[in-house]
Amino acid sequence: MLTHPSQKTALDQFNALPWPEKTSEEWRRSDLAGLIAADNGDGAFSVRWDAVPPEMIHAGVILTDLTTALKQFPGLVAEYLFKTGTPRGLTKFALQNQALTRQGLFCYIPDGVHVDLPMHSWIEPAGNGSPLFPRVLVVVGEGASATLIDERRSPADSTAMLCNEFTEVLLKADAKFSYIRLQRWNESARELFGHRAVLKRNAHYSHIQIGLGGEMSKANLETILSETGAKADLLGILFGSGKQHFDFNTLQAHEAPHTTSDLLYKSVLKDTAKSIYTGLIRIEKEAKQTDAYQDNRSLLLSQGAKADSIPRLEILTDDVQCKHGVAVGPVDEDQVFYLMSRGLPRAEAERLIVSGFFNSVLSRVPVEALREELAASVSQRI
Amino acid sequence: MSTPLLEIQDLHAEIDGKEILKGISLTINKGQVHALMGPNGSGKSTLSNALLGHPKYKITQGKILFNGQDITDWKTDARARAGIFLGFQYPIAVSGVSVANFVRTAMKSCAGANFQAKEFRKEFKAAMSALGVEESFATRYVNDGFSGGEKKRLEILQMTMLKPTLAILDETDSGLDIDALKTVSEGINRLRGPELGILLITHYQRLLNYILPDVVHVFVDGKIVRSGGKELALELEAKGYAPYEKTAVTA
């Protein structure tokens, strides 16, 4: 444990709370049993990052692992760790992570500091088979801006792995932050993944989920627009083959007026891969003149692939713009014929169609240099 | 006499059990331009799709020979790589894929290891400028939100780059205003040469004012009912298809 005082409380709460019912709305489409850790975890993993330029360190930027951060900046970490509130979804697992986490990533951008180049970090299991409980904490100060690509990898020879991760993001007033999680676990990895971002006045958050690996990926991603003018772009790309199973739930919580959220998740599935998307837009009574959008599209490359999409709205006020859309379907055979008539073999034609399908998400990645890099990662996976 | 470029022998094809092509025979030699003219619903597009092996159309009888090789059972992409190009009547939009990326990928598929990126860029730029399209065209998504003229220009741009030996141009003139028709026709004429055979499929004679055919075929109800020289097109313009349609019914 990190020996943080709130961890003892979290452990008590975790023990007091029963495991969810398999028949509950949250679990009826995904196998719960395979995600319950057999032990309380001593799973070792490494947290690494590319060195931050010296002038940024001089300006007070911190990118380091969580245990080192606790030693070097105990006051700072204590001020923000475990402070984004209890998530509405995967609560038991979030408490488990809070109680048991010993390591993770800490990223801190002081007020007014602009980190121009994208930062890069990654987490990789050491492979002793025990469950992992990584914790990521990001704090972006007032008027500060940064981009972080946070990768998940598995060593080539690694065996099955269970990971229960939780990420907290705090954007202070006028902060601007792009967080890209590039998930490339190996094919036998199973993960639970909680995320809670709190956006203060006029903060702008771009959150990009790229899910390429893992046998099972169950995520609950919450974005809280807590003060006026906050804005969130929530993007997702999921590519599944074999028996991969993605189950993503998102929450766009508008708690203040003049807030905007725009979500676009796209998945492509082949073989017998499956994706489930459930998403809630909740607009509180105070959140007048809010814009909220949610769009989920899936492309099925084989008959055995499946995608479910369940959007929900809870709007407690009027004077809002709110829209959601869903589309699921196979590859357009006319497109395939057109591309094949130019000499592309069927597999190549599908690859091009898929990369085009994802492009509407990738083209919204705010840093241009990153778009190609991410497109290459996705294309390699296809 | 050398081997014909394309030899269609008594081709029958059906879609959903309904026969559309009812025994077509047609021979095109290298360097020739053939015009296939027929009214709507005569099966012109079925022929062009069947020549490219569209999976919706089932060949029930007959053969397609290309450079003497029987390609009747070949997959669409293999026909394209062998040198057959289809200019679509209704080009398909592929959202998220840029024109440049699409053409580059197609050329890589056709040229394999011989593909040269540097040469490609040079040629591509020249081809775009010859067709009067701006450079921003290259970064737009394939046929996505294109006007009729832009779509047909893109077809001819692809034809220019892929350098087929047989081009089947399906209603290339449809949806074009007179200026676009001129540009597109000039684009096609530039590609004419001793190695290229062209099958122009069209309803109207007007395209043939710009691209002079060597042979004209009248196509009615799934069959070629008459073949002749370019004067046949003018006769069709004057009299329409009605006399042939009657023939087809009474035959």
Side-chain angles (χ1 to χ4, degrees), chain A residues 120-168:
Chain A
H120 187 196
S121 56
W122 59 99
I123 290 177
E124 191 172 293
N128 65 356
S130 278
L132 320 179
F133 298 98
R135 187 96 188 172
V136 176
L137 174 60
V138 179
V139 179
V140 185
E142 273 187 34
S145 67
T147 297
L148 174 65
I149 310 170
D150 192 11
E151 214 177 307
R152 300 291 171 269
R153 304 173 179 169
S154 305
D157 57 348
S158 67
T159 49
M161 175 206 78
L162 174 60
C163 179
N164 174 0
E165 171 178 340
F166 199 92
T167 295
E168 292 181 279

Side-chain angles (χ1 to χ4, degrees), chain A residues 63-81:
Chain A
L63 182 65
T64 187
D65 67 272
L66 200 51
T67 33
T68 303
L70 254 180
K71 274 184 219 140
Q72 293 182 351
F73 316 98
L76 198 59
V77 176
E79 192 181 339
Y80 299 108
L81 189 64

Side-chain angles (χ1 to χ4, degrees), chain B residues 4 60 64 137 204 239:
Chain B
T60 51
I64 306 166
F137 197 70
Y204 300 104
K239 296 187 187 161

Side-chain angles (χ1 to χ4, degrees), chain B residues 40-133:
Chain B
N40 289 334
S42 55
K44 301 192 299 289
S45 282
T46 299
L47 177 63
S48 62
N49 281 313
L51 289 175
L52 262 293
H54 194 297
K56 257 200 264 181
Y57 302 91
K58 200 175 146 203
I59 308 283
T60 51
Q61 199 180 315
K63 268 196 233 176
I64 306 166
L65 302 181
F66 182 61
N67 287 319
Q69 255 187 311
D70 185 348
I71 62 162
T72 318
D73 295 329
W74 286 22
K75 288 224 165 72
T76 302
D77 54 317
R79 298 181 199 212
R81 287 194 301 272
I84 304 178
F85 177 87
L86 172 61
F88 280 59
Q89 180 178 8
Y90 302 111
I92 310 289
V94 190
S95 174
V97 177
S98 73
V99 165
N101 184 16
F102 171 46
V103 177
R104 193 188 313 114
T105 309
M107 290 193 63
K108 273 187 189 166
S109 297
C110 293
N114 295 325
F115 178 77
Q116 304 235 323
K118 212 174 144 192
E119 278 301 298
F120 166 76
R121 278 194 294 273
K122 227 170 82 188
E123 249 182 80
F124 187 58
K125 242 176 126 168
M128 281 202 300
S129 125
L131 284 165
V133 292

